[in-house]
Amino acid sequence: MGSVLVTGAAGQIGSELVVELRRRLPDQAVVAADLSTKLPPGVQEQGPNITVDVTDGAQIARVFEEHGVDTVYHLAGILSATGEQKPRLAWNTNIGGLYNVLEAARTRGARVFWPSSISVFGPDSPRVNTPQNAVMIPSTIYGASKVAGELLCNYYYHRFGVDVRSVRYPGIVSSETLPGGGTTDYAARMYYEAIERGQYTCFVRRDTTLPMMYIPDAIKAAFSIMDAESGRVTIRTSYNLTAMSFSAGELAEEIWKHIPNFECTFEPDFRQAIADSWPVSIDDSLARAHWGWNPDYDLSSMTTDILRVLGERIRK
Ligand code: SER
C-alpha cells in the first residue's frame, strides 16, 4: 500500500483534511507537506510531515518516489486576493505546481485530487445558478490559473490516463485554520472576530452574495469524489459544487441571533471587484447526479456549529 500525500497541509483545507485522512486511513501513511514548516498542532503531532516547494519539479518527483505516493491531494496554491498582488507567484505556484504534481502522478500511476474554484467564472458568465459549462473568462490571475489547471487535469486524464478528480469549491468557511489571501475570507473571519472581539469590518458590501460551504462539507466532497467509482466521474475538468449562498449582511444577521451585541460594518476594498465578478449561486446538479453530492450544512446549522467550535477554542 502506498502513501497519501497532501500538499498545502498547513492551509485552510489541508489542515483539516490531513487529520480526517489519518482518521480514515490508520494503516496508511498520510504525508503532510507544506512550504511552511509551521504546521497546525493537530497535523504536526502525528506525522509524517515534510517541507516541500511544489514549484520544484525534482523535489516533487523525489517525494513521490521516497514516500511511495499513490494518492495526492494537491491543495497548495495562492488565492485570489494575493494573486492580484503577486500574479507571477500565483501563476507559478498554481500552474507550475499542478504540472509538477501531475507529472509525478503520471510517472507513478498515482491518483490526484485538485481543487478548482468558482473563480473560473467571470463577468460574462451567468451569475445566478451558474451552469457547469458557462463561459469561463475570469478577471483574476487566480481564476485564469484555475481554468488552465482544469484543462491541464483534463489533458492528463485523456492523454495519459491519470485518474485526476476535481471540484470547483465555493468560499470555504473554516474554524481550525482561517483562509488567507482569498476574497471569500470575510465569511470565516466574521465568525472569528464576532467571538474574539465582538466586532468586524467586512471588506465587501453588505449585499455581496457568494456561494459558500462549511469545511466538513468541503472535506466530504473531496472524499466523495475520490471514493466514487471511476466511471461515474465523467467530468475531468472540474465539477461545479456548492452548499449555500448568502450575502455578507445575511451572515451578520445570522450571527446576531447568537451574539446580539456583535457590531459589523462594511468597508469594501479591492476585493469587492473580484467578488462582483463571481457567481452568486451555482448549479451543482451534475455533482449530485454523478457521484451523489449532498451537503450537510446550511447557513443556520453552520453558524450554530462554528460558533460552538470557535467559542470552545477561544475560551480554552
Ligand atoms: N476562496 C477563494 C478565494 O477567495 C475562491 O476559490 O480566493
Side-chain angles (χ1 to χ4, degrees), residues 4-23 30-34 38-44 46 48-49 72-77 79 113 115 169 172 174 176-180 215 218-219 222-223:
V4 179
L5 175 68
V6 180
T7 70
Q12 185 194 21
I13 300 175
S15 57
E16 299 207 31
L17 186 86
V18 166
V19 172
E20 276 308 310
L21 276 169
R22 286 179 175 155
R23 198 172 291 150
V30 175
V31 183
D34 205 283
K38 240 182 100 215
L39 292 170
V43 175
Q44 184 71 52
Q46 297 173 22
N49 305 318
V72 53
Y73 291 79
H74 174 46
L75 308 178
L79 294 183
F113 174 84
Y169 279 130
I172 305 294
S174 59
E176 178 64 36
T177 304
L178 289 183
I215 187 85
I219 288 169
F223 289 155

Side-chain angles (χ1 to χ4, degrees), residues 176-216:
E176 178 64 36
T177 304
L178 289 183
T183 300
T184 57
D185 295 11
Y186 63 87
R189 182 60 69 176
M190 195 185 291
Y191 285 116
Y192 186 85
E193 298 293 340
I195 293 216
E196 181 83 352
R197 302 191 309 126
Q199 62 179 69
Y200 180 57
T201 304
C202 182
F203 58 76
V204 295
R205 283 190 320 268
R206 182 190 292 268
D207 66 348
T208 302
T209 302
L210 288 170
M212 297 277 178
M213 180 176 290
Y214 191 28
I215 187 85

